[in-house]
Amino acid sequence: MTVIRRTLIVCAVGASLLASGLASAQDIKPRLIRFGYGLNEQSNQGRAAKVLADEIEKLSGGKMRLRAIGSAALGSDVQMQQALIGGAQEMMVGSTATLVGITKEMALWDTPFLLNNVQEADALLDGPVGDKVRAKLEEKGLIGLVYWENGFRNLTNSKQAVTKLEDLDGIKLRVMQNNVFLDSFKSLGANAVPLPFSELFSALETKAVDGQENPYNTILSSKFYEIQKYLTVTNHVYSPWIVLVSKKWWDGLSKDEKNVLLTAAKTSRDFERKDTRAEAAKALDELKGKGMLVNVLPAPEAARMRDKLTRVNAGIAANVGMDLWQETQTTLTKMRAKK
Ligand code: KDG
């Protein structure tokens, strides 16, 4: 059946339903959702966006349709956050680190070496502490549905293997647009350069910056191995992503529509974490296979890094509020005591 013939049939059915009053125009036209993200379609972020779209279509019976638009085509994280607040875009996923300018409590997730493993990450993010931080977004015009996993961050650069902190001296290191990352890497002696993710590949390619830090999956899916020779395993911070909805748009949804989004978001979260972890387990070998020279920061140097980086903790605690900071530490201490 040709497309034209199929379209004509749909129009005819639609017209008859409208005429019969059996369906309003709204019933036929699905509610469209523009969902922006920064990595490419082949990344863990892109795969989870597709799961989210499929789930929303299934749960709504086709009445809601999410269009996943990757590679920062709708703008950087910061630009998309503003578009959601203004109601010009419905949804996005992006880094919690770039949200600190809107909701200071998000800085909690920038705390160097806060989390030892992904089990702690899931428990904290999906528990009372994570809920409290998400809830702070609402007064700023954003609804945080769920956290996805970006992952533990590691250093890459084009100049030399980083085997001691002094090797970072003078390295132009791209960091996310976030003061904790800026201050952290300045304290390590790097020349920290804040840039949106969408500009990172070209900045590395033109040597505007020498290095960056991201999880293995991003280094792989964004092909940083083509322009970064050295990868130093530091796992210096666990980065979440967060799935956001425009509150202006959210407030116009029915209860059922909100439930569809929340249920689909939770399914996408569970898929994304599983997929991200499976990919990360293989990514290091794949990066070696792509020619990257990988070294693990020696333990004494890692201890020096931890000592230097955790000096930002007092500032983070003051920023997020001592109650939230204390609740976070208590939660982690209790989790670790059970081991
Ligand atoms: O949109 C991409 C960013 O949200 C994400 O990858 C954040 O880790 C990040 C970075 O380095 O910008």
Side-chain angles (χ1 to χ4, degrees):
M1 185 187 300
T2 64
V3 172
I4 295 171
R5 186 166 161 68
R6 201 167 41 235
T7 309
L8 285 173
I9 290 172
V10 168
C11 292
V13 168
S16 62
L17 280 172
L18 284 172
S20 64
L22 282 178
S24 70
Q26 186 54 37
D27 289 357
I28 296 183
K29 221 164 29 71
R31 188 188 283 278
L32 292 179
I33 304 163
R34 287 160 297 182
F35 179 90
Y37 61 97
L39 273 63
N40 59 45
E41 212 175 317
Q42 294 68 40
S43 68
N44 50 337
Q45 211 177 50
R47 292 191 294 270
K50 183 164 180 343
V51 168
L52 181 61
D54 294 346
E55 278 302 302
I56 287 172
E57 173 106 20
K58 184 180 76 176
L59 293 171
S60 69
K63 289 193 173 66
M64 299 171 84
R65 195 159 295 157
L66 181 142
R67 215 173 115 233
I69 304 155
S71 304
L74 294 182
S76 66
D77 286 13
V78 172
Q79 288 166 331
M80 291 195 286
Q81 289 156 10
Q82 292 306 320
L84 264 63
I85 291 167
Q89 181 180 326
E90 293 75 33
M91 290 181 72
M92 69 171 281
V93 64
S95 178
T96 54
T98 53
L99 274 169
V100 173
I102 294 171
T103 298
K104 60 185 173 47
E105 290 80 3
M106 282 289 167
L108 179 65
W109 311 123
D110 301 334
T111 307
F113 301 107
L114 176 72
L115 301 168
N116 294 337
N117 53 57
V118 293
Q119 290 73 29
E120 291 181 1
D122 295 355
L124 208 57
L125 289 163
D126 298 348
V129 170
D131 291 350
K132 283 178 184 153
V133 174
R134 269 188 315 110
K136 293 284 184 183
L137 289 165
E138 199 154 345
E139 64 202 48
K140 300 295 173 77
L142 294 169
I143 303 288
L145 290 185
V146 292
Y147 294 98
W148 286 359
E149 177 161 296
N150 188 356
F152 282 97
R153 304 179 76 91
N154 295 285
L155 284 173
T156 68
N157 82 89
S158 56
K159 296 188 90 169
Q160 61 178 20
V162 173
T163 59
K164 57 188 183 304
L165 295 193
E166 287 70 19
D167 293 338
L168 282 171
D169 286 357
I171 282 210
K172 288 178 288 183
L173 192 84
R174 177 270 177 179
V175 295
M176 289 191 278
Q177 298 155 291
N178 166 301
N179 288 336
V180 169
F181 279 77
L182 200 58
D183 298 346
S184 297
F185 284 95
K186 274 183 182 167
S187 77
L188 292 179
N191 174 2
V193 181
L195 281 176
F197 183 80
S198 46
E199 296 173 20
L200 178 50
F201 189 93
S202 54
L204 291 168
E205 196 172 35
T206 58
K207 299 273 191 288
V209 294
D210 305 311
Q212 62 87 46
E213 41 85 55
N214 248 293
Y216 301 144
N217 291 348
T218 300
I219 300 166
L220 191 62
S221 64
S222 298
K223 297 187 168 42
F224 291 159
Y225 53 81
E226 290 177 353
I227 44 178
Q228 297 280 270
K229 188 75 187 156
Y230 304 99
L231 191 162
T232 302
V233 179
T234 54
N235 292 317
H236 52 273
V237 65
Y238 173 92
S239 265
W241 282 318
I242 186 165
V243 176
L244 297 170
V245 184
S246 160
K247 185 176 185 310
K248 272 187 180 170
W249 179 71
W250 174 263
D251 288 347
L253 299 181
S254 68
K255 191 164 165 295
D256 289 349
E257 288 173 318
K258 289 176 180 175
N259 281 336
V260 163
L261 289 184
L262 202 48
T263 308
K266 286 177 180 170
T267 302
S268 73
R269 171 198 64 196
D270 298 345
F271 165 85
E272 196 272 345
R273 286 173 176 169
K274 200 156 163 263
D275 175 63
T276 293
R277 289 164 195 173
E279 184 183 51
K282 299 176 294 184
L284 202 53
D285 283 342
E286 288 191 45
L287 289 167
K288 287 175 186 169
K290 299 285 187 185
M292 289 197 87
L293 299 180
V294 178
N295 74 295
V296 179
L297 191 66
E301 292 302 308
R304 286 180 67 206
M305 182 182 203
R306 180 184 285 260
D307 171 61
K308 276 181 174 280
L309 286 189
T310 50
R311 285 179 201 167
V312 294
N313 286 12
I316 295 173
N319 253 342
V320 306
M322 286 316 286
D323 291 351
L324 190 66
W325 178 263
Q326 203 45 56
E327 186 177 355
T328 301
Q329 301 305 327
T330 307
T331 305
L332 290 169
T333 303
K334 280 183 183 160
M335 267 194 266
R336 291 163 186 168
K338 285 180 192 157
K339 289 252 180 245

